[in-house]
């Protein structure tokens, strides 16, 4: 059975890798060059925090994210190349004048976890603890009280995407068509350039490229990479503020990722002055050592979102659409892809049985 996958972001690559491992022949189409880092997944910070996301997100985000945490631990050892991944917990805090927002965060997460009765057994293994920030991050003692979530962590999206590309390149079951602009996708068919191609199944993972077929909007995100030897933060740290949520993500070699702006715009231009000031001011307020940090990279991309900000997995015979991963793409993708493959196998096997029965 030969399937086509359109789009080589995190969803397309995970899907190609998993389907190839299951023995399917995969034709992967992407409009970009093979080594381009154009997919919005490359601009992600790689935060894996399903419980913290419950404050503002729907329960579905928690469920996909929680399942993905388990899948990452199962799937990453199957990759040839190493991928930075760790679960050391996350810290949520606020400045003194914003502690009321921190209390609101805590109440929201606690309320939503109580409502998640279908995953109650899983939630027993997850906690959100009220702590003195100093006990988790000694250099952030000035922030006073905070919240600690031991079950959360992070992954390096760039290493993940490159490791998946390596697996795809070395799989006899996958043929990667780069710089292949697909203009139309339908059940069993797609149009690439002037060619109309037919497959046993088509997976549409184009993100914003599917705006002609889905009610998608773009959400711009901006991220700064800072290098500082004067900062020693070990845990993913979120700073709660009435207007925004800023995170500081520690990486090896004295690198810290600072984000995240969230702007309703399909604008791929460089980081704005306003966003830079907000991100850098927030980082400096978290740790004064960032005052002498060096800005080594700024990243901008636009993420696909549907009206409900939830992921779409829509499967009909011959076509599966995966889209709307919004700002949770890295967090949710393994579980989303697992579900997409499960639906695909169920429907394709069911229809094959009907054909065989009719004959």
């Amino acid at each position: 059975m030969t399937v086509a996958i359109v789009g080589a972001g995190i969803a397309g690559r995970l899907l190609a890798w998993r389907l190839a491992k299951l023995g399917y022949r995969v034709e992967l189409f992407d409009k970009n060059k093979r080594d381009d880092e154009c997919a919005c997944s490359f601009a992600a910070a790689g935060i894996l925090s399903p419980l913290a996301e419950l404050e503002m997100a729907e329960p579905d985000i928690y469920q996909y994210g929680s399942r993905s945490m388990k899948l990452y631990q199962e799937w990453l050892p199957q990759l040839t190349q190493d991928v930075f991944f760790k679960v050391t917990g996350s810290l949520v805090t606020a400045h003194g004048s914003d502690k009321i927002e921190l209390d609101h965060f805590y109440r929201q997460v606690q309320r939503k976890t109580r409502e998640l009765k279908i995953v109650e057994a899983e939630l027993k293994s997850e906690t959100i603890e009220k702590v003195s920030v100093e006990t988790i991050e000694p250099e952030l003692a000035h922030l006073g009280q905070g919240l600690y979530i031991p079950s959360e962590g992070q992954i390096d999206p760039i290493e993940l995407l490159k490791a998946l590309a390596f697996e795809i390149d070395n799989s006899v079951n996958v043929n990667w068509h780069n710089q292949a602009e697909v203009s139309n996708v339908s059940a069993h068919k797609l149009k690439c350039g002037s060619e109309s191609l037919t497959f046993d199944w088509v997976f549409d993972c184009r993100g914003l490229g599917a705006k002609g077929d889905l009610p998608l909007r773009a959400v711009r995100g901006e991220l700064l990479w800072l290098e500082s030897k004067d900062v020693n933060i070990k845990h993913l740290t979120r700073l709660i503020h009435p207007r925004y949520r800023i995170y500081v993500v520690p990486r090896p070699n004295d690198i810290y990722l600072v984000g995240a702006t969230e702007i309703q715009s399909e604008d791929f231009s460089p980081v704005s002055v306003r966003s830079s000031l907000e991100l850098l001011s927030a980082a400096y307020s978290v740790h004064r050592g960032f005052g002498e940090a060096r800005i080594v990279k700024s990243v901008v991309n636009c993420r696909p979102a549907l009206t409900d900000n939830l992921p779409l997995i829509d499967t009909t015979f011959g076509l599966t659409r995966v889209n709307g991963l919004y700002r949770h793409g890295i967090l949710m993708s393994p579980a989303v892809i697992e579900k997409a493959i499960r639906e695909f196998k169920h429907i394709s096997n069911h229809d094959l049985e009907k054909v065989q029965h009719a004959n």
Side-chain angles (χ1 to χ4, degrees):
M1 187 175 190
T2 301
V3 304
I5 300 172
V6 187
I10 183 62
R13 293 188 194 200
L14 274 175
L15 188 57
W17 176 50
R18 300 311 297 179
L19 287 174
K21 287 180 70 69
L22 291 171
Y24 293 94
R25 293 287 305 171
V26 178
E27 301 291 327
L28 177 61
F29 295 82
D30 192 64
K31 65 182 180 181
N32 300 311
K33 292 181 180 179
R34 163 66 178 74
D35 294 322
D36 278 355
E37 297 186 2
C38 298
C40 61
S41 313
F42 281 100
I47 294 173
L48 304 177
S49 55
L51 200 58
E53 289 295 338
L54 265 178
E55 183 221 1
M56 300 181 69
E58 296 298 319
D60 286 5
I61 304 300
Y62 166 80
Q63 291 171 317
Y64 280 121
S66 181
R67 174 60 181 160
S68 291
M69 292 288 285
K70 296 177 181 178
L71 288 173
Y72 273 127
Q73 295 178 68
E74 176 186 334
W75 289 357
L76 290 177
Q78 299 174 23
L79 294 169
T80 305
Q81 297 183 343
D82 291 336
V83 175
F84 174 79
F85 169 80
K86 65 177 184 178
V87 180
T88 55
S90 67
L91 181 66
V92 186
T93 188
H95 295 297
S97 59
D98 298 327
K99 292 298 185 186
I100 189 171
E101 297 294 329
L102 187 64
D103 290 337
H104 174 76
F105 176 97
Y106 180 76
R107 291 194 303 271
Q108 281 285 88
V109 174
Q110 291 290 77
R111 177 182 64 80
K112 289 187 177 181
T113 54
R114 287 195 296 269
E115 293 173 354
L116 283 169
K117 298 183 186 300
I118 59 172
V119 291
E120 188 173 355
E122 294 179 26
L123 286 170
K124 288 180 181 177
S125 65
E126 298 204 36
T127 58
I128 179 167
E129 307 168 5
K130 291 185 176 181
V131 296
S132 170
V133 171
E134 185 177 13
T135 64
I136 307 298
E137 290 289 352
E139 294 189 4
L140 305 184
H142 64 283
L143 291 171
Q145 297 300 304
L147 304 171
Y148 180 57
I149 308 175
S151 60
E152 300 191 333
Q154 58 162 304
I155 191 169
D156 187 327
I158 297 176
E159 288 188 358
L160 175 60
L161 289 160
K162 290 183 176 180
L164 289 170
F166 182 85
E167 298 298 322
I168 291 168
D169 285 340
N170 288 276
S171 172
V172 296
N173 287 340
V174 185
N175 185 21
W176 188 331
H177 307 266
N178 63 83
Q179 292 184 283
E181 186 80 40
V182 173
S183 57
N184 187 58
V185 175
S186 59
H188 304 290
K189 298 178 181 179
L190 60 84
K191 186 173 182 181
C192 182
S194 60
E195 290 187 278
S196 294
L197 306 173
T198 302
F199 301 92
D200 295 306
W201 206 275
V202 175
F203 290 87
D204 186 353
C205 303
R206 289 178 292 168
L208 289 172
K211 282 182 69 175
D213 300 314
L214 295 171
L216 292 164
R217 73 183 194 282
V219 181
R220 174 182 165 99
E222 299 165 319
L223 184 68
L224 298 179
W225 289 51
L226 308 181
E227 181 181 19
S228 176
K229 297 184 182 299
D230 299 323
V231 178
N232 185 29
I233 297 175
K234 300 296 186 184
H235 298 80
L236 159 65
T237 301
R238 292 172 183 259
L239 183 69
I240 303 296
H241 183 276
R243 289 194 298 110
Y244 48 73
R245 301 291 188 262
I246 295 294
Y247 54 72
V248 177
V249 185
R251 288 283 175 78
N253 303 314
D254 303 314
I255 297 295
Y256 296 87
L257 278 56
V258 180
T261 54
E262 191 172 320
I263 304 165
Q264 304 294 322
S265 170
E266 193 167 348
D267 177 5
F268 289 84
S269 63
V271 177
S272 69
V273 170
R274 175 179 295 182
S275 295
S276 296
L277 289 172
E278 286 191 348
L279 294 174
L280 294 173
S281 296
Y284 182 68
S285 73
V286 169
H287 196 300
R288 292 292 186 262
F290 283 122
E292 294 301 320
R294 296 296 180 261
I295 303 172
V296 296
K297 181 162 65 168
S298 63
V299 184
V300 172
N301 216 307
C302 294
R303 301 155 293 189
L306 292 158
T307 53
D308 58 4
N309 292 332
L310 293 176
L312 171 73
I313 307 168
D314 180 48
T315 303
T316 55
F317 186 61
L319 176 64
T320 297
R321 298 187 190 276
V322 178
N323 215 315
L325 297 184
Y326 187 32
R327 60 184 184 85
H328 305 111
I330 299 297
L331 171 64
M332 298 188 300
S333 284
V336 167
I337 293 308
E338 180 186 54
K339 183 177 179 181
I341 292 175
R342 185 167 60 244
E343 289 186 3
F344 150 68
K345 291 172 69 176
H346 174 74
I347 292 179
S348 61
N349 290 338
H350 177 70
D351 281 88
L352 179 61
E353 289 173 1
K354 288 201 303 184
V355 171
Q356 291 172 339
H357 181 73
N359 292 336

